[in-house]
Amino acid sequence: MADQPGYIPTKDQLLTRLRRVEGQVRGLQRMVEADQYCIDVLTQVSAATKAL
């Protein structure tokens, strides 16, 4: 695998992780649009940050 440049060996794992983060951020957008409680939004922000 040393012959492959960059992130090719873990590309599928990285894409899965990025899709999960994308879903969390979209969920945050919906929460803000729905005027959810601030603490709930902050909890989700923390989860998205950790996922990154």
Side-chain angles (χ1 to χ4, degrees), residues 2 4 9 16 20 29 34 37 43-45 49:
Q4 296 177 337
T16 299
R20 183 172 38 251
Q29 181 181 357
Y37 289 111
T43 300
Q44 290 304 315
V45 167
T49 301

Side-chain angles (χ1 to χ4, degrees), residues 24 44-52:
Q24 288 177 319
Q44 290 304 315
V45 167
S46 176
T49 301
K50 289 176 184 175
L52 286 170

